Amino acid sequence: MKSDRIHKRLREILPPGALLTEREDVAPYETDGLTAFRRLPMAVAIPETEEQVRQILRACYEEGVPVVARGSGTGLSGGALPHESGVLLSLARFNRILHVDPLARIARVEPGVPNLAISEAVAPFGLYYAPDPSSQIACSIGGNVAENSGGVHCLKYGLTVHNILALRVLTIEGEVLEIGSEALDAPGYDFLALLTGSEGMLGVITQVTVKLLPKPERAQVIMAGFDDVKKAGAAVGAIIAAGIVPAGLEMMDKLAIHAAEDFVHAGYPLDVEAILLCELDGTEAEVEEEMEKVRGVLAAAGATRLRVAQDEAQRLRLWAGRKAAFPAVGRISPDYYCMDGTIPRKRLPEVLARIAALSREYGLAVANVFHAGDGNLHPLILYDANKPGELARAEAFGGRILEACVEAGGTITGEHGVGVEKIDQMCVQFRSKELLLFHAIKQAWDVRGLLNPGKAVPTLNRCAEFGAMHVHGGQLKFPDIPRF
Amino acid sequence: MKSDRIHKRLREILPPGALLTEREDVAPYETDGLTAFRRLPMAVAIPETEEQVRQILRACYEEGVPVVARGSGTGLSGGALPHESGVLLSLARFNRILHVDPLARIARVEPGVPNLAISEAVAPFGLYYAPDPSSQIACSIGGNVAENSGGVHCLKYGLTVHNILALRVLTIEGEVLEIGSEALDAPGYDFLALLTGSEGMLGVITQVTVKLLPKPERAQVIMAGFDDVKKAGAAVGAIIAAGIVPAGLEMMDKLAIHAAEDFVHAGYPLDVEAILLCELDGTEAEVEEEMEKVRGVLAAAGATRLRVAQDEAQRLRLWAGRKAAFPAVGRISPDYYCMDGTIPRKRLPEVLARIAALSREYGLAVANVFHAGDGNLHPLILYDANKPGELARAEAFGGRILEACVEAGGTITGEHGVGVEKIDQMCVQFRSKELLLFHAIKQAWDVRGLLNPGKAVPTLNRCAEFGAMHVHGGQLKFPDIPRF
């Protein structure tokens, strides 16, 4: 049997304890952060050296066995969901910070290093790594690269792709590639960007070189309450239009505010429909000057409450509510489903209204907590998995939200990736030609299709079944067979 | 004959005057900014509508005729050098600004719009487009995307890839792709980045959506003179290490200073070995605060002269010398060859010393004028094309400089692209596996290899002949023929 052969080969590559094949040992790996999907892998490999990874990949390549790489398993779209006849490749032991160069402001780290651990390691130099997903205590930098993760501060500082310089990557054949460099730009096609966000489908990362930023001298936050969600949405556009780039600009609606306030007592007003949290950072002078401007814009936009944090403790307390909003919603509903769509900022008021209408249609409440400055929505759909049909209804509702994002000129993911969760919505987002190009890219890197199969890019047949295939020129278009 | 057939088809697609086939009519297109390379195209097509472009591409695809897209022809690496049996596709008539959204801070433009024209069009809204190549009066935004162009301000504001949101692209088959969106992130592989810098080898751009930035309240420049090039190089690192991100940080060496001063009387000191120009921008308060810091860092780094521009006229005069440096060098030498390599900032002093040593070895003078903050070198090799052998010596010398950049952990291009100029150095920069992946990507997008053939990515045979192929595992490695 194929599974016997690959088990034998993996046992020769890995030391005892680094290969799990028993059901009870592989069970903890059956899901990532998207717990609605569960699947047991054929085996879990936990290598410690790049040479072991290389040999594992080579063995899987030769035997035709799928490989799913996994960092910390915090991903929210099921990108690390195992393959039932494949190897789950845990990079948890690749947890070393290899090199910090404070002068050049870069760090070279292994993929299993948690996001926050990088900032902690370079704090003595006054530096930090900017992208900060909510899960930053746990989530790994390798996973961040695979999903092109964002965070509260990516409005000003960009996504993962804007904050890395180089990757060391193994192909499925076990060849080492050095992609990018410490220098500004690279010739040839931009493989650094191609790999970032590729959800483990092109290669396995073994090193990441990240950019570091100097910690801003000052950070200050202002909270604004509004009696109307639309006004809050319009205020977001007004701040950006005033030429201000906040470090973070977040919105919470009434349901989220109440849940968070009950949970962590952040000091949010309970008599408003929405709040905005706007953080500014920079030098003392810069922050002071811009805070005055922001205050003016918010007042003009109709804010009924305005509060500037008076000290660092108050600033952290205001953020604590935002950061705890997801678990806070978890306290008021047995289950919730976190969506992640992105829209042009100016469409915020209209898309929020659309979500409210869908909420009534599906009979499920929604709490909105999101990166408003980026137009990156995170509607949390509240449901109860124990009530028959509610999970399916929540998923259908979620799909409709993503489709509304695409209709508004947006996309089906801001920072969580596609994984298995949104694979059908890819048929809405893209036309067949684009999907064919995705498949061709995949084929170029992974000719046997072994790296994380079934994720992120749907087949054209799947789209046709989903019924959402964009039809081009009146008929479903399959690949031209080159006749030349 | 094939050329008769394609001429006939193109005549059916294009109005009279939009197809040039006579030698004297196509001659003006024989070269781009890299004038050392010249070649006449079979025909020049100057379409006015996207539908015409689509039909031209379709015809060329069906007839197997190469297509080279051209913007303003200012590229410095020969990316728009015609193919002798191909169509040169001029996008000069795609010169409309289609849409400006000052609230969202974006503009949608056609590819033939000159870079500077975008900033001029949005100036009434207090906005501008950040990347500013020296040729910005003339160079087109489509060409900027094709080469991922930079400029003086890309240290703070990024390259072209960081300043665009979406592209409308035609494949060689004539299919329309919409890549990217006005929203933050896109699912699937990052085709926006893949297309940017792809030198016209994957598709033809028909629309570009760019990000706009608010014009900074204040910009100020400080000039520092040094009695030693190395000290100037070290000062660059010290400014960045101090946590300052200048809007621009440029270096000129003695030869460049004297040439520029003779030409435009910028007020540069003539008794120094190098000058740095450091521009800061932002709010009044921010600029003032950071200027004090920069002044301190420069003094500590051993600057012998320090001058802060006292008003806007002085600021512009200081920049005028830098911006005129290339033509100024053109006045002191019959010919010069502008190189474009990038290195990690900290290697600046050492690589500058290496260039000086090579200058002695080849007996050709070099003027250095460059984006020091980015580590993006622009050595200008002075030569006289009328002296037998000097052009070849200049090219050989240039090749050695690029190889020195790669050895220092850098790359063979910062912002000018590879084109035909640096195609051999691609063999030094990349291993065979990486080159094979480049070819596979190309194959996925352009199965007949008709878009700008012979540019940017060398064949493995060419690398083997060049003698610089990285050898992997003891032997030249050609593609695995998939046996599955």
Side-chain angles (χ1 to χ4, degrees), chain A residues 25-61:
Chain A
D25 295 331
V26 304
Y29 296 88
E30 70 176 344
T31 182
D32 62 7
L34 182 72
T35 51
F37 290 76
R38 290 165 194 273
R39 205 186 277 154
L40 290 174
M42 181 183 69
V44 175
I46 315 172
E48 274 185 88
T49 67
E50 185 182 82
E51 179 53 23
Q52 288 168 357
V53 177
R54 203 188 62 72
Q55 291 182 30
I56 292 168
L57 291 172
R58 186 78 209 171
C60 289
Y61 175 67

Side-chain angles (χ1 to χ4, degrees), chain A residues 101 103 105 175-176 178 184-185 193 240-241 283 285-286 289 342 346 411 414 431 433-434 440 444 448 484, chain B residues 101 103 105 175-176 178 184-185 193 240-241 283 285-286 289 342 346 411 414 431 433-434 440 444 448 484:
Chain A
D101 182 340
L103 195 68
R105 298 214 301 251
E175 282 204 75
V176 177
E178 299 276 1
L184 170 74
D185 190 21
I240 304 292
T283 64
E286 192 184 356
E289 197 177 326
T342 308
K346 65 181 168 198
T411 74
R431 288 192 286 199
K433 175 65 184 178
E434 289 151 343
R448 299 193 75 179
F484 314 107
Chain B
D101 183 340
L103 194 70
R105 296 212 306 250
E175 282 204 74
V176 176
E178 298 275 0
L184 171 74
D185 190 22
I240 305 292
T283 64
E286 191 184 358
E289 195 177 329
T342 308
K346 66 181 168 197
T411 72
R431 288 192 287 200
K433 174 67 183 178
E434 289 150 344
R448 299 192 75 178
F484 315 107

Side-chain angles (χ1 to χ4, degrees), chain B residues 137-223:
Chain B
I137 297 175
C139 66
S140 69
I141 187 71
N144 290 179
V145 173
E147 302 296 341
N148 194 16
S149 304
V152 164
H153 290 92
C154 66
L155 172 59
K156 182 165 182 180
Y157 297 107
L159 297 165
T160 302
V161 70
H162 304 114
N163 289 278
I164 62 172
L165 279 169
L167 295 174
R168 189 171 159 97
V169 172
L170 287 174
T171 67
I172 183 69
E173 296 98 326
E175 282 204 74
V176 176
L177 297 178
E178 298 275 0
I179 291 170
S181 76
E182 291 179 28
L184 171 74
D185 190 22
Y189 306 122
D190 189 346
F191 281 172
L192 190 67
L194 186 70
L195 267 287
T196 308
S198 68
E199 307 201 19
M201 294 176 62
L202 302 182
V204 173
I205 298 163
T206 59
Q207 286 181 20
V208 184
T209 304
V210 301
K211 295 185 206 173
L212 303 170
L213 293 179
K215 249 183 262 178
E217 198 176 298
R218 178 83 189 282
Q220 200 175 34
V221 70
I222 182 169
M223 181 191 67

Side-chain angles (χ1 to χ4, degrees), chain A residues 270-345:
Chain A
L270 297 174
D271 58 348
V272 296
E273 290 298 315
I275 59 168
L276 288 182
L277 291 170
C278 177
E279 180 157 297
L280 299 171
D281 66 11
T283 64
E284 290 284 349
E286 192 184 356
V287 170
E288 205 161 304
E289 197 177 326
E290 296 213 317
M291 188 52 86
E292 269 320 290
K293 272 199 218 166
V294 169
R295 190 200 281 272
V297 171
L298 289 169
T304 55
R305 304 289 197 97
L306 278 178
R307 212 175 94 209
V308 178
Q310 292 306 306
D311 54 34
E312 188 61 9
Q314 277 191 19
R315 184 180 80 87
L316 293 176
R317 211 151 68 88
L318 286 175
W319 277 119
R322 164 62 185 90
K323 290 190 175 173
F326 286 18
V329 168
R331 292 170 77 232
I332 61 167
S333 174
D335 299 284
Y336 68 87
Y337 184 27
C338 170
M339 305 307 299
D340 166 48
T342 308
I343 54 169
R345 222 157 22 218

